[in-house]
Amino acid sequence: MSQVNEQILLASRPQGEASVDNFKLVQTPLPSVDELQDGQVLVRHHYLSLDPYMRGRMNDSKSYAEPQPLNSVMLGGTVGEVLISKHPKFAVGDKVVGMGGWQTHSVVDATQRGALTKVDTTHIPLSAYLGSVGMPGVTGWYGLVKIIAPKAGETVVVSAASGAVGSVVGQLAKARGCRVVGVAGGADKCDYVVKELGFDACVDYKANPDPKSFYKALKDATPNGIDGYFENVGGMILDAVLLRMNAFGRIAMCGMIAGYNGEPTPMQNPALILVNRLKVEGFIVSEHPEVWPDAVQELGTMVATGKMKFRESVAQGIASAPEAFLGLLKGKNFGKQLVKLI
């Protein structure tokens, strides 16, 4: 076993677009069994989750969460295996999910509620607990089920449709009898969304880079308008969707990746929210722990039975995390972006 913990720290805050220079790789010694306190668990991470929300935490600005502190380990979800345990509910070899951060190992105070969760990998791959059966999956489930609340026959549109959250939203909406239209970048992603995930249509924003052509493509894909929209992007895509929304439509605001580098993301026609009596609701899934059991039950069953398909982009080794993260912000990933650490 390696006696070193490799960690990636936030070394500086980005000015505009983030770069690899904002991160720093360091090594620290691992604790021995005698150094662990009662209730603590040493976890060897197998996978690290990279997610767009991390970009907002790098800024020192007002947001729904505290900024990532400088010179500390970047935050992030992890899955791995217990190496040493001083907690009665965790045994060596247990597979666990937690917020271990951008590092190969973590010491977790397992007495804290929700800090570490044992998972069953009999029918569900360990990595899926960072994707379809983890935070991204529950995010998609909450926005669709609790905010959009679709009825069979309605049209639901999902931006970033091939990603970890969007792919879940679309498949859940299809299971509820909706017409589902994705928005993705590139013919390969759109083909995947339709042919693999089962969406009814997909609009390629790269093939329709200007507002007029994008609106026309969206209109062709939504002949009966849009009843529910799951928003991950903002900008031109949100403007086009607002023009297609039906009266009493519902919009779940999950992400605004178009503005993560600090650029303003103005709306062209905010009056449409009033004209069409739209419900627009932003949400942070960590504020809704009450839905996790129901969400994970449905998502886990769908993954275990093959009814929920997903794709992963996997970078190798902790040193690759910064480049993979910057690529994620530019849409270079295909599906859930992970870093394999073992």
Side-chain angles (χ1 to χ4, degrees):
M1 178 181 110
S2 164
Q3 298 304 306
V4 190
N5 184 18
E6 293 188 290
Q7 304 173 311
I8 293 197
L9 315 183
L10 180 64
S12 61
R13 300 207 185 278
Q15 303 300 315
E17 198 170 305
S19 77
V20 290
D21 295 334
N22 297 129
F23 304 95
K24 179 169 66 176
L25 177 64
V26 300
Q27 293 186 336
T28 58
L30 283 176
S32 67
V33 63
D34 296 329
E35 292 172 306
L36 283 189
Q37 297 175 10
D38 286 346
Q40 288 186 327
V41 173
L42 177 65
V43 179
R44 172 68 163 108
H45 301 153
H46 289 205
Y47 291 94
L48 161 67
S49 172
L50 298 180
D51 300 282
Y53 76 84
M54 298 169 178
R55 175 62 187 83
R57 299 275 183 97
M58 292 170 71
N59 298 334
D60 188 13
S61 56
K62 184 180 185 300
S63 185
Y64 58 83
E66 287 297 311
Q68 163 81 39
L70 285 174
N71 298 310
S72 66
V73 177
M74 281 288 293
L75 75 148
T78 49
V79 288
E81 182 177 357
V82 173
L83 292 185
I84 304 172
S85 176
K86 287 199 170 178
H87 191 288
K89 289 189 177 174
F90 293 93
V92 172
D94 281 350
K95 299 297 191 294
V96 291
V97 58
M99 289 294 287
W102 293 27
Q103 53 185 344
T104 55
H105 300 74
S106 63
V107 175
V108 183
D109 179 1
T111 62
Q112 287 193 343
R113 183 178 171 86
L116 204 61
T117 305
K118 265 194 282 194
V119 293
D120 185 352
T121 57
T122 310
H123 302 293
I124 298 170
L126 182 61
S127 61
Y129 286 100
L130 293 176
S132 299
V133 196
M135 184 272 292
V138 179
T139 297
W141 190 95
Y142 184 89
L144 181 78
V145 174
K146 296 298 184 181
I147 297 175
I148 295 173
K151 303 179 186 68
E154 290 189 326
T155 296
V156 173
V157 172
V158 188
S159 59
S162 69
V165 176
S167 60
V168 167
V169 175
Q171 291 177 88
L172 288 173
K174 281 302 295 179
R176 285 159 171 76
C178 298
R179 174 178 173 79
V180 181
V181 177
V183 177
D188 54 344
K189 288 185 178 179
C190 278
D191 282 349
Y192 167 72
V193 163
V194 173
K195 294 173 182 173
E196 291 288 320
L197 302 182
F199 286 48
D200 296 285
C202 186
V203 181
D204 182 353
Y205 68 80
K206 289 188 176 176
N208 299 279
D210 64 279
K212 279 190 177 176
S213 67
F214 182 82
Y215 175 77
K216 184 182 183 307
L218 183 66
K219 184 179 179 182
D220 291 344
T222 58
N224 297 320
I226 299 169
D227 302 294
Y229 176 49
F230 194 101
E231 173 64 296
N232 287 308
V233 178
M236 174 187 80
I237 294 170
L238 176 57
D239 285 333
V241 167
L242 281 173
L243 290 166
R244 298 293 303 148
M245 290 297 295
N246 292 327
F248 305 104
R250 293 84 64 199
I251 300 177
M253 301 292 288
C254 174
M256 298 286 276
I257 202 168
Y260 278 178
N261 288 326
E263 312 96 326
T265 48
M267 292 166 61
Q268 294 288 335
N269 296 289
L272 290 170
I273 297 172
L274 171 61
V275 171
N276 287 321
R277 289 85 81 207
L278 303 180
K279 172 185 173 182
V280 181
E281 184 174 336
F283 71 101
I284 308 299
V285 74
S286 58
E287 295 176 349
H288 302 281
E290 75 284 352
V291 309
W292 282 70
D294 287 347
V296 168
Q297 174 70 34
E298 180 174 0
L299 296 165
T301 300
M302 289 179 75
V303 168
T305 56
K307 291 177 181 172
M308 174 76 70
K309 296 181 170 61
F310 60 91
R311 187 178 285 206
E312 298 169 337
S313 289
V314 183
Q316 298 291 328
I318 190 69
S320 71
E323 283 280 10
F325 176 63
L326 299 174
L328 166 73
L329 296 176
K330 289 182 160 65
K332 292 182 180 176
N333 62 304
F334 199 146
K336 173 66 196 172
Q337 181 65 60
L338 299 168
V339 181
K340 194 169 191 290
L341 302 174
I342 197 166

